[in-house]
């Protein structure tokens, strides 16, 4: 039953790890670098709740579709679907260096 909630996030190509969380932030499933990463799950759940309050259009019911948290070597890609928070840790390979 637990694996049914993973929705394929465990099979994403080049994934370094994943988390599947409830809306409240409880870990349903995890793997790779994010195996049992409960402290990170708590922080990312807070990030999702904060982001969901930021209006992205005049229609306040519309919220983000995906959040990318980018570090120098890797990134977390976060989506919310069917009352679950999906997190995938992937390598970060920028195509063009950012110029400030």
């Amino acid at each position: 039953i637990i694996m049914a909630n993973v929705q394929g996030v465990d099979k994403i190509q080049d994934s370094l790890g994943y988390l599947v969380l409830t809306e409240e932030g409880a870990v349903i499933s995890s793997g790779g670098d994010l195996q049992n990463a409960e402290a990170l799950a708590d922080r990312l759940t807070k990030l999702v709740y904060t982001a969901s309050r930021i209006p992205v259009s005049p229609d306040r019911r519309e919220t983000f579709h995906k959040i990318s948290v980018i570090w120098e070597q890797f990134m977390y890609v976060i989506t919310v679907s069917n009352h679950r928070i999906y997190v995938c840790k992937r390598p970060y390979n920028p195509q063009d260096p950012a110029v400030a």
Side-chain angles (χ1 to χ4, degrees), residues 10-91:
D10 58 329
K11 301 204 180 355
I12 293 175
Q13 204 166 23
D14 79 0
S15 172
L16 301 173
Y18 71 92
L19 289 167
V20 180
L21 313 173
T22 65
E23 288 180 305
E24 295 79 28
V27 177
I28 296 171
S29 183
S30 63
D33 290 358
L34 303 183
Q35 183 74 41
N36 300 319
E38 293 189 15
L40 178 63
D42 182 57
R43 286 188 218 114
L44 294 178
T45 300
K46 289 176 182 171
L47 174 68
V48 166
Y49 273 89
T50 300
S52 69
R53 290 189 212 103
I54 299 171
V56 294
S57 74
D59 180 357
R60 296 190 63 76
R61 293 172 297 173
E62 186 178 350
T63 61
F64 70 91
H65 296 278
K66 178 170 60 172
I67 298 173
S68 297
V69 180
I70 302 172
W71 300 90
E72 193 170 314
Q73 300 290 322
F74 65 90
M75 65 181 174
Y76 298 118
V77 180
I78 307 162
T79 58
V80 179
S81 179
N82 297 322
H83 307 287
R84 300 280 187 259
I85 301 169
Y86 297 91
V87 180
C88 181
K89 181 179 178 183
R90 301 179 75 179

